[in-house]
Amino acid sequence: MNSCSILFWLGVALSLFSCTKELSQEAPVQISSSSGDFYATIDGQYWQGDSIRQAVVAGGTLTITGVGKTGDALAIVLPGLQTGVYELNGQSAGYALFTNLGDTTNLYLSNGIADSSKAGGTVNLTSVDTVHKTVSGTFQFNLYQESNATSK
């Protein structure tokens, strides 16, 4: 990955985890960060977005973010708000990333890596409730970090 790509992904990661909330003018659906669960199994260990968990719709994009108490952060970005299966791969507009906010040099990605066979997966968005401001679904993907050749 060249230095421009690294800077781009680092910028994306940092922008997803800003400390303030912004409401979108083009899509005023702000999904609550005070209720719901966001959890995963990462490297065989239970992980929960228990410090921050939110879903934000802006510009036709759904961004689901969770941050654990240790600073581990998982984000899923989908190019829409419709129910269905979203593919995460080298050709998709949607992607996922995982990092620790204290050390963003270890950024694991589903897309944008040289060997696309090492990462990718799916997100199945099963419910979108704009009245109660919730989204539900499941996901399964592998994320890859090129600089140290490791996966999550």
Side-chain angles (χ1 to χ4, degrees):
M1 186 180 297
N2 66 35
S3 61
C4 290
S5 294
I6 292 170
L7 290 175
F8 169 77
W9 286 111
L10 184 58
V12 168
L14 294 176
S15 69
L16 292 175
F17 307 116
S18 65
C19 294
T20 60
K21 283 188 182 179
E22 295 180 20
L23 294 176
S24 170
Q25 299 225 353
E26 62 273 8
V29 178
Q30 177 72 34
I31 297 174
S32 174
S33 62
S34 62
S35 64
D37 294 316
F38 188 22
Y39 56 90
T41 301
I42 301 174
D43 293 335
Q45 300 295 313
Y46 178 80
W47 173 88
Q48 183 174 2
D50 49 8
S51 179
I52 296 173
R53 57 192 175 276
Q54 65 181 6
V56 177
V57 176
T61 300
L62 170 63
T63 303
I64 304 166
T65 308
V67 179
K69 290 180 180 161
T70 62
D72 286 339
L74 177 62
I76 302 169
V77 180
L78 302 175
L81 191 59
Q82 294 78 33
T83 59
V85 177
Y86 292 83
E87 295 287 330
L88 304 181
N89 58 45
Q91 291 79 42
S92 68
Y95 62 92
L97 62 88
F98 179 82
T99 192
N100 186 286
L101 297 179
D103 179 15
T104 56
T105 59
N106 284 322
L107 182 63
Y108 292 82
L109 303 168
S110 65
N111 304 31
I113 60 173
D115 185 353
S116 60
S117 70
K118 295 188 183 267
T122 58
V123 176
N124 184 6
L125 201 55
T126 58
S127 171
V128 176
D129 184 341
T130 56
V131 173
H132 295 101
K133 298 183 179 177
T134 61
V135 294
S136 298
T138 59
F139 55 90
Q140 183 284 319
F141 43 74
N142 294 314
L143 305 179
Y144 188 73
Q145 213 273 359
E146 283 188 307
S147 67
N148 63 13
T150 57
S151 297
K152 294 265 181 210

